[in-house]
Amino acid sequence: MGRRILLFILTNILVITTITIVFTVLRMAGVDISTYTAGGGINYLALFIISAVIGFSGSFISLALSRFMAKKMMGVRVIDPGNSTGAERELVEKVHRLSRSAGLMHMPEVGIYNSREVNAFATGPSKKRSLVAVSTGLLNSMDDDAVEGVLAHEVAHVSNGDMVTMTLLQGVVNTFVVFFARIAAAIVSRFVQNDAMRVFVHFGAIIVFQILFSILGSIAVMGFSRYREYHADRGGADLAGKDKMTHALRALQAHVNKVDNSQTSMQTLKINNKSSMAMLFSSHPPLEERIKRLQER
């Protein structure tokens, strides 16, 4: 899965921001679809319900778009299993064999994207509609055992249902983001004396606080993402063998500098994420730590 989380979060922020704007504009126009204020106060139960509707809508829409967005942003060419030959056929057969070993009833789509980086990712809204993609750099640089280890890691993400799990977590985070953003906006707008200006300040404050709290909330999402990477390493070891999984991680470590930074928004989709961001905002633990934990297993 590497972890597609940054794309997921960015899409999610855009979606919940769009929903928020629509809700707010309708309320300003007198279409009362989200009443949570009365008599100058806040109905916290109503606000929480509205926040949950907005929050989970954002995360599930992001999930539904995940495979499509990954293909478009990465330029993934999906391999037709019935019309492939040579190395492409071998790649598809490896993914399908690992998928059957993982107990998947529906085989993931298998794709290749053109990049010198040595990397791979998995994504999709469900086990039935998943995608496993590898870079040309990985195929050209790694031996068969290392490639199998990488693929096993990605198939483990699909088998574990990590995208759905992350969606539920993101939905909870979104709910609290929307909830506290509106409370903060209400507090700020009380300092504005002009009634007309207060409406616009409240609207602007909601957007600003929502984006700010979304960024802070991503710390929790990224932390869980790092945990799921360790879990996928263990799953990959079960599917391909501990030696191949360890070999794959060491091979990635040897190619850590060969990362294509032209698609920075996609770095968290990938098994090998070398990020300049602080660890709190990193979707992947250090490769050294992943190798150590796998060896201690």
Side-chain angles (χ1 to χ4, degrees):
M1 167 163 115
R3 208 131 6 189
R4 57 235 133 196
I5 302 306
L6 183 55
L7 174 65
F8 181 71
I9 289 174
L10 290 176
T11 303
N12 181 81
I13 290 174
L14 290 174
V15 170
I16 63 173
T17 300
T18 301
I19 295 172
T20 296
I21 292 173
V22 171
F23 268 51
T24 305
V25 169
L26 287 173
R27 288 187 71 237
M28 290 170 64
V31 181
D32 193 9
I33 61 173
S34 58
T35 298
Y36 59 88
T37 57
I42 298 175
N43 182 328
Y44 290 100
L45 177 59
L47 175 57
F48 190 80
I49 293 172
I50 292 164
S51 299
V53 171
I54 295 174
F56 278 92
S57 295
S59 60
F60 279 106
I61 291 172
S62 299
L63 177 66
L65 293 174
S66 60
R67 186 173 63 165
F68 172 79
M69 292 293 292
K71 288 178 183 178
K72 292 300 181 182
M73 293 189 71
M74 298 300 298
V76 175
R77 177 174 59 83
V78 176
I79 301 171
D80 180 359
N83 191 29
S84 59
T85 58
E88 291 188 357
R89 174 177 285 277
E90 292 179 8
L91 179 64
V92 173
E93 289 176 349
K94 278 189 177 76
V95 172
H96 286 186
R97 175 171 53 80
L98 291 166
S99 298
R100 286 190 291 270
S101 297
L104 294 177
M105 301 298 293
H106 300 269
M107 297 300 101
E109 288 185 329
V110 182
I112 299 174
Y113 64 97
N114 187 30
S115 174
R116 62 182 289 273
E117 70 175 357
V118 178
N119 235 314
F121 69 88
T123 192
S126 68
K127 294 180 183 181
K128 293 181 179 180
R129 300 177 60 230
S130 59
L131 166 71
V132 173
V134 299
S135 69
T136 52
L138 182 144
L139 295 176
N140 294 333
S141 302
M142 284 190 171
D143 59 40
D144 286 346
D145 285 350
V147 170
E148 185 169 349
V150 169
L151 294 175
H153 173 97
E154 303 305 335
V155 169
H157 275 305
V158 176
S159 176
N160 293 337
D162 282 341
M163 272 307 285
V164 174
T165 303
M166 294 302 297
T167 298
L168 295 175
L169 174 61
Q170 187 67 65
V172 172
V173 170
N174 288 349
T175 297
F176 286 102
V177 164
V178 175
F179 183 76
F180 287 115
R182 278 156 178 71
I183 293 175
I187 293 172
V188 170
S189 63
R190 287 173 184 170
F191 291 95
V192 180
Q193 299 300 317
N194 184 281
D195 290 341
M197 280 299 298
R198 187 183 300 116
V199 174
F200 289 103
V201 168
H202 185 263
F203 173 72
I206 287 175
I207 302 303
V208 170
F209 281 120
Q210 195 160 282
I211 292 174
L212 175 62
F213 292 161
S214 291
I215 293 171
L216 294 176
S218 69
I219 294 175
V221 177
M222 292 300 186
F224 189 72
S225 175
R226 292 193 295 274
Y227 164 75
R228 298 306 296 177
E229 288 305 309
Y230 292 125
H231 193 61
D233 286 342
R234 293 194 295 271
D238 290 337
L239 294 174
K242 184 176 178 179
D243 290 342
K244 288 183 179 179
M245 190 66 242
T246 303
H247 177 54
L249 292 175
R250 291 195 184 282
L252 286 169
Q253 193 174 35
H255 293 92
V256 72
N257 292 323
K258 294 184 180 179
V259 176
D260 184 356
N261 292 318
S262 63
Q263 295 147 325
T264 54
S265 65
M266 295 294 291
Q267 290 306 311
T268 51
L269 275 85
K270 302 164 186 175
I271 189 172
N272 174 29
N273 176 32
K274 182 185 178 184
S275 174
S276 60
M277 299 178 70
M279 181 54 64
L280 283 176
F281 292 95
S282 175
S283 65
H284 286 56
L287 284 165
E288 295 86 351
E289 183 64 23
R290 292 170 63 183
I291 293 170
K292 178 182 176 182
R293 291 203 183 190
L294 190 60
Q295 289 177 331
E296 292 173 349
R297 179 173 178 262

